[in-house]
């Protein structure tokens, strides 16, 4: 796992440059990499930032997509063909807005539900933490901009009765309004 403490010499985010010949250079640690090595570093917990060496354009998302296609194709199966076709056809701004709003909210709702289940398990079994190692590794899988990226606290912050469960109908209504706004 990538270290992110004060004693570590290695930074958590690697600055990588991609050259035209599909070679990658990790400027953070002064070494050449291939796509498979970058994939392994991501699994180990490193974040990456990839720049095109010629244009200086940030191409991190393109490289991550390529890694998914080549090394994690099973994860792409969660997206239906219809969704992928619509993503190709739809206006770029509309797609970005949809992903930013809908997927973020859906993921946040999932995280809240997951936290509630953990809280109920803790309370039912009088535990201060449920599978701490699993919780920590799950939290490290989430990107830093998503909620619950940090490790979960070892004790519940508030009772489950005080936590709000998002209403799926509320998300559906918001999504319908969002879609209607862009159809007009």
């Amino acid at each position: 796992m990538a270290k992110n403490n004060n004693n570590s010499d290695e930074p958590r985010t690697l600055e990588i440059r991609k050259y035209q010949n599909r070679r990658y250079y990790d400027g953070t640690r002064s070494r050449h990499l291939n796509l498979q090595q970058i994939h392994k570093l991501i699994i180990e917990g490193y974040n990456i930032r990839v720049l095109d060496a010629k244009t200086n354009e940030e191409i991190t998302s393109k490289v991550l997509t390529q890694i998914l296609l080549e090394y994690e194709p099973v994860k792409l199966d969660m997206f239906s063909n219809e969704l992928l076709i619509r993503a190709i056809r739809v206006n770029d701004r509309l797609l970005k807005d949809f992903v930013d709003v809908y997927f973020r909210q859906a993921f946040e709702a999932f995280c809240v539900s997951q936290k509630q289940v953990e809280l109920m398990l803790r309370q039912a079994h009088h535990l201060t933490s449920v599978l701490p190692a699993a919780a920590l590794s799950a939290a490290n899988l989430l990107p830093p901009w998503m909620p619950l990226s940090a490790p979960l606290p070892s004790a519940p912050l508030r009772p489950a009765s005080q936590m709000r469960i998002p209403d799926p109908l509320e998300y559906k209504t918001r999504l319908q309004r969002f879609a209607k706004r862009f159809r007009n």
Side-chain angles (χ1 to χ4, degrees):
M1 183 65 82
K3 293 182 173 71
N4 196 18
N5 58 27
N6 294 339
N7 299 336
S8 175
D9 292 338
E10 293 188 28
R12 186 117 168 103
T13 299
L14 303 176
E15 299 288 331
I16 299 172
R17 297 184 74 75
K18 180 183 180 192
Y19 292 89
Q20 288 180 338
N21 60 0
R22 289 189 55 150
R23 301 255 348 233
Y24 298 91
Y25 184 75
D26 175 3
T28 311
R29 299 189 303 176
S30 303
R31 66 182 183 153
H32 288 278
L33 299 169
N34 60 35
L35 202 58
Q36 187 174 16
Q37 290 168 319
I38 295 171
H39 175 247
K40 185 178 179 213
L41 288 167
I42 293 169
I43 290 172
E44 290 173 1
Y46 288 95
N47 294 320
I48 64 168
R49 181 171 181 255
V50 184
L51 299 175
D52 183 285
K54 186 176 182 180
T55 64
N56 232 17
E57 171 191 4
E58 180 160 348
I59 57 170
T60 306
S61 61
K62 292 175 186 174
V63 172
L64 293 173
T65 302
Q66 186 177 357
I67 289 171
L68 276 173
L69 285 169
E70 292 187 25
Y71 300 105
E72 304 275 347
V74 173
K75 291 180 180 174
L76 294 175
D77 290 343
M78 72 176 82
F79 298 104
S80 70
N81 291 342
E82 181 181 341
L83 178 65
L84 294 172
I85 288 170
R86 287 179 185 235
I88 291 169
R89 288 181 182 154
V90 76
N91 172 305
D92 291 343
R93 183 66 195 165
L94 174 65
L95 181 62
K96 183 180 181 335
D97 289 345
F98 173 76
V99 170
D100 286 350
V101 172
Y102 180 72
F103 282 130
R104 180 178 47 82
Q105 289 177 350
F107 190 77
E108 286 174 355
F110 168 77
C111 291
V112 167
S113 297
Q114 185 180 26
K115 204 171 188 180
Q116 288 174 336
V117 168
E118 181 181 358
L119 183 61
M120 286 187 280
L121 286 172
R122 284 183 196 173
Q123 290 174 343
H125 297 286
H126 307 305
L127 300 173
T128 58
S129 180
V130 175
L131 303 173
L136 289 176
S137 66
N140 289 332
L141 293 174
L142 303 176
W145 53 267
M146 286 194 164
L148 301 178
S149 303
L152 296 171
S154 61
L157 299 176
R158 60 183 173 172
S161 61
Q162 294 177 0
M163 296 181 90
R164 180 181 176 270
I165 299 174
D167 180 15
L169 196 54
E170 176 185 337
Y171 287 123
K172 184 178 179 182
T173 305
R174 284 185 184 179
L175 181 60
Q176 288 171 342
R177 276 188 269 147
F178 180 76
K180 191 177 195 180
R181 184 175 68 180
F182 285 98
R183 274 189 235 141
N184 297 335

